[in-house]
Amino acid sequence: MDRAGAQARIIQLAIFALAAGGWYFVTAAGGVSRLLLPSPGEVGTTLLRLIQTKSFWNSVGVTFSSILQAYVIAVVGGIVAGYLVTRSKTAMGVLEPVLAGLFTIPLTLLLPLFILFFGIGPASKIAYGATYAFFPVALNTIAAFGHFDERWLRAAQSMGASRWQTFRHILLPGAFPVLVTGLRIGFVICFASVLGGETIASAVGIGHNIALSAEQMEPGRLYAWIAFVTITAVTLNLLITSIENTIVRRDRK
Amino acid sequence: MSTASSTLGSSGAATSRRAFHLRMILIVGIVAALEFYGRFVADATLFSPPSKIVQSFFTDIMGDARIVRALWICIVEIAVAYVLSIVFGVTTGLLVGATPFTRRAFFPVVIALYVIPQVSFLPLTILLFGLGPAAKIAFGFSHAIFPIIINVVSGMRTVRELHLNAARSMGASRLDTIRHVVLPHMVPSLFTGLRLGMTLNLLGVILAELYVSNSGVGFFTRLFAEDFNPGPLFALIGSLAIIAIAFNEIVRIAERRLTPGAHRKTIIKTAGKEKQ
């Protein structure tokens, strides 16, 4: 690493240390109410105690199975719908602006409707997460297959490529990066919307536990859950980024 | 990413006009189908036909001073949160992107914070800021500021060294360089950030509004949902959607007005950039 890079790292570590140290000292000095900001030690021990309970893993299981189900629905629906739309120029001209326009409206607004239709259980969160994540997947599928450079296709055809060969060697590799972007955005949205749905109206799951700890004024548990979500999200993000990089690199070869 | 413009050839205008007509027909068809479904098929406790929703908008929503007030508060929250996030987001972005070194040091921190799902902080935000507008403004602000910072920083990166050198060699002062070279280059990226910021700002404010269920919009959505009264519920959600669309449109119009002419064609609207 060069010198400037090392200095940048040092600053990042200093920011982290400052935040952690500031948190520790503020709570140790007793400057803020424990109800609003518990000490790092309390959050740590609460998290350790929490992950040994069965109800913790039940909640995590409910949330992650909801996220997974919603994501599968969104990916399958989004890719199929998006691909079908790109097969006709008319359909694309008509539908793409409609989908893009709908996606700029905060679909969170639909949450009360999903609660009304599917009840307070996981089903409403799955429907809500699937609907929200459908849009980025479908829009990126359309962007990937629809706005394709015609010359590549014509070149392939003039060289006698079959329909399948054109799809396998031209369309798919060309569309892949944009498609993967859609899948990643879709996952982030799916994760956040299931969690948000659980926070606002649910009787189970991680989001419900976060809301419950806040209502019961249990700051240790509240921060422990937030810490768990943050760690999980950061880990998943690193995992997805590395998978994405591996796929894209293999694709280039 | 490829551009949307590649599909529009020389006959683009005629094609897009035809697409527009077909789109209108499609929307009218969907509304008619929903009307039929709502009137003759659906359970009246779960679904309302569009005509009843419109009627409910005038009687139950506009006719109820408490709901009108809640909607106005919502509008003010969205506007205040957005102005704050622009002021602090652009300032932070300019500071972070000021030199290659500050960018390398601070930009990864911003990105790392952006990755955290903020919705897990929703109950905490309410705990810290109370049940009133302050919490909703704070939650909208914390959602909107990140895309603005990120796009300001990436916008500053797109300024070509060549152009800066040219300006300098022609004797431009620091202020002149910023005014005539850096800012015009940043505008497209800045507006990408502002558009995204508005989308997330709306998300943040509405999430917080829905979460607080003992006052404001959240109270009424819960009330209508628990009473199985879909007419006013759909009308209230529709009103919020119209507010959201209006805010998005204001940003889009500002973008079209303020983007320097030379850059207009380079604004590539791709689905992927709408939401990161």
Side-chain angles (χ1 to χ4, degrees):
Chain A
M1 203 188 293
D2 57 295
R3 236 189 92 181
Q7 278 173 347
R9 270 281 177 271
I10 289 168
I11 289 185
Q12 285 158 21
L13 283 174
I15 292 173
F16 183 76
L18 208 67
W23 182 10
Y24 178 78
F25 280 115
V26 161
T27 49
V32 283
S33 160
R34 197 193 69 91
L35 282 177
L36 296 180
L37 189 68
S39 71
E42 186 185 344
V43 175
T45 46
T46 314
L47 182 59
L48 283 179
R49 200 156 21 93
L50 212 57
I51 57 174
Q52 285 161 19
T53 60
K54 207 166 163 241
S55 67
F56 175 88
W57 294 108
N58 279 342
S59 298
V60 172
V62 168
T63 300
F64 278 91
S65 97
S66 299
I67 292 172
L68 196 67
Q69 289 175 60
Y71 190 56
V72 169
I73 296 171
V75 167
V76 173
I79 290 181
V80 169
Y83 185 75
L84 288 180
V85 166
T86 60
R87 292 309 89 194
S88 141
K89 275 235 162 80
T90 316
M92 213 163 78
V94 173
L95 291 172
E96 195 186 9
V98 176
L99 288 173
L102 281 175
F103 191 47
T104 59
I105 303 171
L107 296 174
T108 309
L109 285 172
L110 299 178
L111 182 61
L113 296 183
F114 284 114
I115 307 284
L116 182 71
F117 296 151
F118 297 99
I120 204 101
S124 56
K125 266 60 90 183
I126 295 170
Y128 168 60
T131 309
Y132 220 141
F134 167 83
F135 284 89
V137 176
L139 283 168
N140 276 280
T141 310
I142 293 174
F145 288 109
H147 305 297
F148 213 82
D149 196 338
E150 288 287 327
R151 283 170 300 181
W152 291 6
L153 296 179
R154 238 174 281 145
Q157 268 154 16
S158 68
M159 282 187 261
S162 71
R163 252 187 116 90
W164 165 247
Q165 280 171 327
T166 313
F167 180 81
R168 171 68 191 81
H169 295 285
I170 308 291
L171 262 179
L172 202 56
F176 204 70
V178 184
L179 206 62
V180 170
T181 305
L183 293 181
R184 181 166 47 76
I185 298 169
F187 183 78
V188 171
I189 287 180
C190 199
F191 188 94
S193 53
V194 168
L195 215 61
E198 285 180 350
T199 309
I200 288 170
S202 181
V204 284
I206 294 175
H208 167 70
N209 277 289
I210 291 178
L212 194 68
S213 325
E215 276 161 29
Q216 294 174 339
M217 290 283 181
E218 290 207 35
R221 240 184 33 202
L222 172 64
Y223 278 84
W225 275 109
I226 294 176
F228 175 75
V229 171
T230 303
I231 294 166
T232 313
V234 170
T235 314
L236 279 176
N237 199 66
L238 289 175
L239 201 73
I240 291 169
T241 311
S242 73
I243 292 174
E244 207 178 317
N245 288 343
T246 324
I247 293 174
V248 169
R249 219 177 296 131
R250 194 195 298 157
D251 207 55
R252 288 236 179 83
K253 274 181 194 165
Chain B
M1 271 187 217
S2 50
T3 70
S5 56
S6 65
T7 51
L8 298 174
S10 54
S11 62
T15 318
S16 67
R17 208 178 309 124
R18 194 166 143 260
F20 177 76
H21 289 147
L22 279 171
R23 205 177 304 141
M24 287 302 125
I25 292 169
L26 180 78
I27 290 169
V28 170
I30 289 173
V31 172
L34 287 176
E35 183 73 30
F36 178 83
Y37 175 78
R39 270 179 192 275
F40 303 109
V41 188
D43 182 347
T45 61
L46 294 180
F47 192 81
S48 251
S51 60
K52 284 238 178 75
I53 295 171
V54 172
Q55 199 192 337
S56 183
F57 173 76
F58 288 107
T59 56
D60 297 316
I61 305 297
M62 299 310 279
D64 190 333
R66 292 174 308 160
I67 299 183
V68 174
R69 207 179 110 78
L71 286 174
W72 271 114
I73 290 173
C74 214
I75 292 173
V76 173
E77 286 161 359
I78 293 168
V80 173
Y82 194 54
V83 170
L84 287 176
S85 61
I86 292 175
V87 171
F88 286 95
V90 172
T91 315
T92 314
L94 289 175
L95 290 176
V96 170
T99 65
F101 179 71
T102 51
R103 197 176 59 229
R104 276 178 86 170
F106 297 109
F107 200 44
V109 179
V110 176
I111 299 281
L113 289 174
Y114 189 47
V115 167
I116 299 169
Q118 285 193 39
V119 73
S120 60
F121 288 84
L122 175 52
L124 183 64
T125 310
I126 306 293
L127 216 57
L128 290 174
F129 292 92
L131 298 168
K136 289 127 191 183
I137 291 170
F139 208 57
F141 170 81
S142 68
H143 271 77
I145 192 168
F146 286 102
I148 296 177
I149 298 176
I150 289 168
N151 280 286
V152 166
V153 175
S154 5
M156 290 172 85
R157 255 173 117 165
T158 61
V159 181
R160 294 231 189 96
E161 205 53 44
L162 187 72
H163 292 164
L164 289 178
N165 286 339
R168 235 172 278 145
S169 68
M170 281 188 263
S173 69
R174 232 190 138 82
L175 204 70
D176 279 341
T177 316
I178 290 175
R179 166 75 189 79
H180 295 287
V181 182
V182 179
L183 280 181
H185 261 97
M186 269 180 58
V187 169
S189 177
L190 174 68
F191 271 105
T192 306
L194 293 185
R195 238 187 303 120
L196 224 84
M198 180 50 94
T199 308
L200 290 185
N201 177 31
L202 291 165
L203 176 73
V205 171
I206 287 168
L207 270 173
E209 279 283 354
L210 290 179
Y211 178 71
V212 178
S213 57
N214 52 9
S215 65
V217 171
F219 170 74
F220 292 103
T221 52
R222 201 190 57 163
L223 183 75
F224 296 140
E226 282 176 358
D227 285 354
F228 288 101
N229 200 352
L233 179 62
F234 277 79
L236 180 56
I237 288 169
S239 320
L240 287 167
I242 290 167
I243 292 171
I245 293 168
F247 272 109
N248 280 328
E249 274 309 301
I250 292 170
V251 179
R252 283 229 337 241
I253 290 167
E255 178 174 12
R256 230 172 294 147
R257 285 277 169 86
L258 298 175
T259 305
H263 292 287
R264 243 169 239 171
K265 278 182 194 146
T266 62
I267 298 174
I268 300 162
K269 277 184 136 182
T270 49
K273 283 203 172 161
E274 286 293 321
K275 205 145 191 205
Q276 283 182 342

